[in-house]
């Protein structure tokens, strides 16, 4: 196995399988799970879910081992995700990976951990309790924290130490196996070329729509298509619910009055150290105009220039900030001459170093809105304006919008409390009536309401028009059998209260041909047009292979041909070719002069066929390769290591005898059914 993996062609193929296929399949998969059971499903307590016949004897894998395997497998795919994307996973990605794992995958991973442990024992690779304790101390875990964790998990210390010894020993064995991975210079260069070659292509699209009107469709073809694709003409299972609805009393639609007294009272009570919304850096905000003596200019002349600027502000009324933008020579200041930072005792040394002691003295002497006299400091001349002064608390005029929002929230909260109390009383009344009545009609009469009806499909049964989102009551709704009346449920978002009766389950069925004849005929028409477009694209490609250019061949077939505007990487897609699904695979293996035909569209829907030819290829510079080689080697070696470890796991599953609990594995199918239905 290891010799096979060292083959460069096999390795490159495997590397792309990991980078391109494995991660998307887990990241894009979204299922259910996430409970405290080993897999995220609901299993009762059991001694062993998997039994492994290892060399050292029978090994039983229980809930704790499966839970640990689930966490490790999740972390492994998260590391792979980060290696591929170069990004930290979001919470959504974490959940998608966790929920995408099946019980069978988790169980097989746990079996491979046993294999690693067996190999570690044969290699005399041992981990002691003292080593585990030292690791915890190095991580900063205290005895109190460990005890609290063990209590929350319902574990004994001896069981935790055994689990950690097993985990560390397995990790070290994985590292030893992974260390066998080496990457040659040739492999690195081939991979670098693969990622950095620049191509130019000529292409012509053959739209399927060109042939929709020219193809003919017969009734026989429609009949044959319908019979061959019955699974496309399925009316999903329906659930007929009869229900009683009590809508939540609306909140008052009013403008809440905010008094000045309440604003001031709330502002006075604010501690900006506790509420960062009201904190601002304490000290003085200062604007200045700096005049530097020009080369050959005397001090008196520079002083006179500064005095003239001050006169224009004080006597002519020119705007200080505008004049600072035009005349100030301090490149460090912000727009309008605004000095960076706040002037206060703690920042004295900083401002003295920047502008000199005379500047600092003036900045602390004048009052807010004062315009200073022209002062000389460190050979430059300054005019200062004190914009504002803060004690660290946002001024009332700037804090007012936040305070008014807080007051309105307080007033609205009182109405919300009243609404909740009304809903609680209504809920109790509905529960009492539901308990004492035997029919949904009787419940409705007792509540002075009416019975309504809705018929969602199996997939939409948690979101009912006019009621709201009932997804928080999934289990209750799923447990209803035909004729059952459910408990009082509250819809998320609307707060409506509802009692459902599952009146009827209408099984999934096929639509008759008469019901879907037009849809089937249109599908046949598009299928035939797609085939015709493919024939034209193949004809175009064959002409190019015979020596024609794509431009001339396309012109003969009344098609438009184009070239990519600029070279692109093998792993990229030019904007106009993003919907060509096979484009990356074609360009990865193609060379100059190669001609291909590929479909363009989304999923199974083909909107056109594209014939294109690789016109030129520009290889990356060797100097750039040598510069990037170290990082590339790290990435490829890591990928190889993961492949080596993964192959060992696969081998261990084939060589070790493992028996899996059938009920535990069957939960996978149950979750898949709920996903397809919900």
């Amino acid at each position: 196995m290891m010799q096979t993996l060292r083959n460069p062609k096999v390795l490159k193929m495997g590397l792309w399988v990991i980078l391109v296929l494995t991660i998307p399949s887990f990241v894009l998969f979204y299922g259910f799970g996430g409970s405290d059971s080993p897999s995220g499903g609901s299993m009762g307590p059991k001694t062993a879910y998997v039994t492994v016949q290892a060399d050292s004897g029978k090994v039983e894998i229980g809930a704790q081992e499966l839970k640990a395997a689930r966490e490790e497998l999740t972390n492994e795919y998260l590391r792979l995700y980060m290696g591929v994307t170069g990004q930290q996973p979001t919470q959504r990605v974490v959940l998608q990976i966790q929920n995408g794992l099946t019980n069978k995958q988790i169980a097989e991973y746990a079996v491979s951990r046993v294999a690693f442990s067996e190999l570690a024992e044969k290699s005399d690779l041992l981990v002691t309790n003292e080593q585990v304790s030292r690791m915890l101390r190095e991580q900063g875990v205290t005895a109190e924290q460990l005890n609290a964790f063990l209590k929350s998990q319902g574990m004994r210390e001896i069981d935790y130490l055994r689990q950690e010894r097993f985990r560390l020993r397995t990790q070290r064995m994985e590292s030893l196996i992974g260390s066998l991975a080496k990457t040659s210079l040739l492999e690195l260069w081939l991979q670098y070329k693969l990622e950095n070659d620049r191509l130019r292509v000529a292409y012509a699209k053959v739209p399927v729509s060109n042939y929709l009107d020219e193809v003919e469709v017969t009734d026989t073809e429609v009949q044959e298509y319908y019979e061959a694709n019955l699974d496309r003409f399925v009316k999903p299972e329906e659930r007929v619910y009869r229900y009683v609805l009590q809508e939540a009393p609306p909140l008052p639609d009013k403008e809440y009055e905010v008094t000045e007294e309440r604003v001031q009272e709330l502002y006075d009570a604010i501690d900006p150290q506790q509420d960062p919304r009201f904190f601002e850096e304490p000290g003085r905000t200062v604007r200045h105009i700096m005049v530097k003596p020009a080369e050959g200019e005397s001090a008196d002349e520079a002083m006179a220039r500064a005095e003239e600027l001050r006169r224009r502000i004080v006597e002519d009324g020119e705007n200080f900030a505008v004049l600072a933008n035009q005349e100030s020579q301090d490149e460090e200041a912000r727009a309008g001459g605004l000095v960076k930072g706040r002037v206060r005792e703690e920042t004295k040394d900083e401002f003295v170093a920047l502008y000199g002691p005379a500047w600092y003295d003036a900045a602390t002497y004048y009052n807010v809105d004062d315009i200073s006299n022209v002062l000389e400091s460190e050979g430059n001349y300054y005019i200062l304006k004190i914009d504002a002064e803060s004690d660290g608390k946002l001024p009332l005029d700037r804090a007012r919008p936040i305070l008014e929002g807080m007051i309105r929230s307080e007033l609205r909260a009182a109405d919300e409390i009243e609404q909740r109390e009304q809903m609680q009383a209504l809920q109790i009344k509905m529960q009492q009536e539901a308990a004492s009545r035997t029919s949904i009609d009787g419940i409705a009469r007792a509540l002075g309401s009416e019975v309504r009806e809705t018929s969602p499909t199996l997939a939409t049964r948690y979101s009912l028009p006019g009621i709201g989102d009932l997804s928080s009551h999934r289990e209750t709704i799923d447990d209803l059998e035909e004729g059952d009346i459910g408990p009082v449920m509250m819809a998320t978002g609307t707060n409506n209260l509802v009692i459902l009766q599952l009146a009827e389950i209408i099984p999934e069925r096929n639509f008759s041909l008469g019901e879907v004849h037009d849809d089937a005929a249109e599908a046949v028409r598009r299928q035939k047009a797609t085939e015709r477009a493919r024939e034209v694209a193949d004809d175009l490609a064959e002409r190019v292979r015979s020596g024609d250019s794509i431009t001339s061949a396309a012109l003969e077939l009344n098609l438009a041909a184009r070239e990519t505007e600029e070279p692109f990487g093998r792993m990229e897609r030019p904007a106009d070719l993003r919907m060509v699904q096979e484009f990356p695979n074609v360009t990865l293996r193609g060379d100059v002069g190669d001609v291909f035909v590929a479909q363009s569209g989304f999923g199974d829907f083909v909107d056109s066929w594209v014939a294109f030819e690789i016109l030129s290829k520009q290889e990356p510079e060797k100097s750039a390769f040598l510069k990037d080689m170290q990082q590339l080697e790290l990435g490829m070696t890591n990928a190889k290591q993961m492949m080596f470890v993964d192959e060992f796991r696969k081998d261990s599953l084939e060589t070790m005898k493992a028996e899996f609990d059938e009920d535990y594995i069957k939960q996978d199918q149950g979750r898949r059914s709920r996903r397809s239905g919900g």
Side-chain angles (χ1 to χ4, degrees), residues 52 59 61-73 76 105-121 162-171 173-174 648-649 652-653 656:
V52 182
V59 178
I61 299 174
Q64 287 291 346
E65 289 82 359
L66 288 171
K67 184 177 180 181
R70 182 172 186 261
E71 292 172 355
E72 288 188 21
L73 188 54
E76 186 166 314
Q105 289 170 323
I106 295 166
E108 289 179 345
Y109 187 87
V111 171
S112 72
R113 293 172 82 238
V114 174
F116 277 112
S117 180
E118 290 272 308
L119 184 59
E121 286 191 14
R162 177 178 59 82
Q163 178 178 298
E164 283 300 291
R165 289 201 313 272
F166 183 87
R167 184 181 67 82
L168 288 174
R169 187 169 57 182
T170 301
Q171 283 184 348
M173 200 65 243
E174 287 180 354
F648 177 85
R649 288 201 183 102
S652 68
L653 289 172
M656 300 186 73

Side-chain angles (χ1 to χ4, degrees), residues 4 215 412 453 508 548 618 638 642 664 677:
T4 303
V215 297
R412 185 175 180 84
E453 191 170 295
E508 177 184 289
D548 288 352
Q618 181 181 347
N638 287 342
M642 296 178 74
Y664 174 67

Side-chain angles (χ1 to χ4, degrees), residues 120-159:
E121 286 191 14
K122 293 176 183 177
S123 306
D124 294 327
L125 184 62
L126 302 177
V127 177
T128 65
N129 287 344
E130 289 72 19
Q131 288 173 312
V132 174
S133 299
R134 185 168 63 251
M135 177 200 70
L136 293 174
R137 287 195 300 272
E138 290 172 352
Q139 292 176 349
V141 179
T142 65
E144 292 76 13
Q145 290 171 328
L146 177 60
N147 290 332
F149 169 78
L150 294 175
K151 185 177 180 181
S152 69
Q153 299 295 309
M155 294 179 66
R156 299 178 302 170
E157 184 175 358
I158 188 172
D159 294 327

Side-chain angles (χ1 to χ4, degrees), residues 208 262 273 327 454:
V208 172
R262 179 56 181 151
Q273 298 298 326
E327 303 291 346
T454 184

Side-chain angles (χ1 to χ4, degrees), residues 270-283:
I270 293 294
D271 181 356
Q273 298 298 326
Q274 300 298 322
D275 191 336
R277 293 177 298 174
F278 298 93
F279 175 81
E280 68 174 5
E281 187 182 353

Side-chain angles (χ1 to χ4, degrees), residues 178-190:
S179 67
L180 298 172
K182 305 294 180 186
T183 306
S184 70
L185 186 63
L186 176 60
E187 287 175 314
L188 290 173
W189 170 243
L190 292 176

